Amino acid sequence: MRHAPAAVLAWLGRQGTRAVAALIVLSIAMPWIGHLLKPFVTEAVFLLLCVAFVLVDAAALRIYLRRPTIVLAATAWTSVVIPILFGASYRMLGLNDQSPDLFLALALQAIASPLMAAPAFAALMGLDATLVLCTMVTSTALLPVTAPLLAYAFIGPALTLSPLTLGLKLFALLAGSALVGFTVRRFAGATAIERQKEAINGFNILVLFVFVAAVMESVAARLLATPMITIGLAVLAFVVFFAVLCLTTLVFASAGLGRALTVGFMASQRNVGLMLAASGGALPDLTWLYFAFSYFPIYVSPLLLQPLTRRMIARASDAIDPRGPKGK
């Protein structure tokens, strides 16, 4: 009986994307849970980050750190070029004047680093999870520096906390979770962590429920009250996701189809949860609502794109390998 909780967690961890989809359905169907859990978003994001650092494979990191050109290029693209390109585009369209709350959501989404779960999703799709992991780590490490500068440049007074405070909070979240995660990994040992990986993933899903329930709290009510606006936000979230995916894949096409798809998939998965946590949840309702919808394409993309990416990579002339395309 004493092993029952671990067994339940391991079972939950094996459900993968199905469990995440179920969390979304439950969160939308029972908004009162989201209302109760909303004050704990920052703590949930911190725990998710801790788990991500516990699962980081140092050996996998070293593969690309020895030959870091593609990692540096991908980091510069996702951390600097995408925020500037999309932030400037939103301003040119006048979105900051037409809908400041939506502009705030889109700008923070562009500024955010890749999702911590991106390596796991990449692995499910047959993409290069090691490349995603390395770029996710470097981009996240830069975030306390890039986020304040970009927030000041594009958002300015629309952000309820100062860019400096945003940077300090992001640094505290990332440094604290890295310290906890790597400490747990050191004392538990890589072998024990690998053995308990399914149970750890199950725990991760439970913590994720806190975050998902909080951001989905108002989805059902807003859909009933303003269906056209709500559907429009959902469509916009998918448009932004695939715009980043396709543009990044084109930009990195010269690195080989496998790597281009890998970087494109990673860049499209923006970790807006970090922005919510750093702001303490003090964001407008419309911003919260768009953030909720921004997770829909992230969670369904592995199921939608897995067959396509695997066929495309199988037909490509290069192999996804840290040493580069075949024959080079």
Side-chain angles (χ1 to χ4, degrees), residues 9 12-13 55 196-206:
L9 286 177
L12 186 60
L55 296 175
Q196 297 297 326
K197 194 170 183 179
E198 288 182 343
I200 294 171
N201 286 336
F203 174 76
N204 210 30
I205 289 171
L206 288 181

Side-chain angles (χ1 to χ4, degrees), residues 136-151:
M136 181 269 292
V137 170
T138 53
S139 301
T140 304
L142 282 177
L143 194 62
V145 177
T146 57
L149 296 174
L150 294 165

Side-chain angles (χ1 to χ4, degrees), residues 146-161:
T146 57
L149 296 174
L150 294 165
Y152 178 77
F154 289 111
I155 302 172
L159 193 62
T160 54
L161 73 165

Side-chain angles (χ1 to χ4, degrees), residues 54-212:
V54 166
L55 296 175
V56 164
D57 186 345
L61 283 173
R62 285 195 291 270
I63 295 175
Y64 272 108
L65 292 179
R66 293 191 195 105
R67 307 178 77 177
T69 304
I70 185 68
V71 173
L72 294 176
T75 300
W77 172 260
T78 193
S79 300
V80 179
V81 179
I82 283 181
I84 292 175
L85 182 62
F86 279 78
S89 299
Y90 298 144
R91 276 197 167 272
M92 286 177 61
L93 292 172
L95 194 60
N96 54 311
D97 295 321
Q98 298 170 18
S99 180
D101 292 351
L102 180 57
F103 173 75
L104 176 62
L106 289 167
L108 287 176
Q109 180 188 32
I111 292 169
S113 59
L115 196 70
M116 283 289 183
F121 288 149
L124 286 174
M125 296 173 64
L127 298 174
D128 190 344
T130 303
L131 175 56
V132 175
L133 176 65
C134 291
T135 309
M136 181 269 292
V137 170
T138 53
S139 301
T140 304
L142 282 177
L143 194 62
V145 177
T146 57
L149 296 174
L150 294 165
Y152 178 77
F154 289 111
I155 302 172
L159 193 62
T160 54
L161 73 165
S162 72
L164 178 60
T165 304
L166 175 65
L168 291 173
K169 287 193 172 187
L170 284 169
F171 177 79
L173 274 169
L174 295 169
S177 58
L179 178 62
V180 172
F182 287 136
T183 300
V184 171
R185 184 173 183 85
R186 179 177 179 83
F187 282 97
T191 303
I193 289 170
E194 186 63 29
R195 190 168 59 247
Q196 297 297 326
K197 194 170 183 179
E198 288 182 343
I200 294 171
N201 286 336
F203 174 76
N204 210 30
I205 289 171
L206 288 181
V207 178
L208 184 63
F209 180 57
V210 178
F211 175 77
V212 172

Side-chain angles (χ1 to χ4, degrees), residues 41-43 45-46 169 173 211 272-281:
V41 165
T42 300
E43 291 80 0
V45 172
F46 180 80
K169 287 193 172 187
L173 274 169
F211 175 77
V272 296
L274 268 178
M275 300 293 113
L276 277 174
S279 65

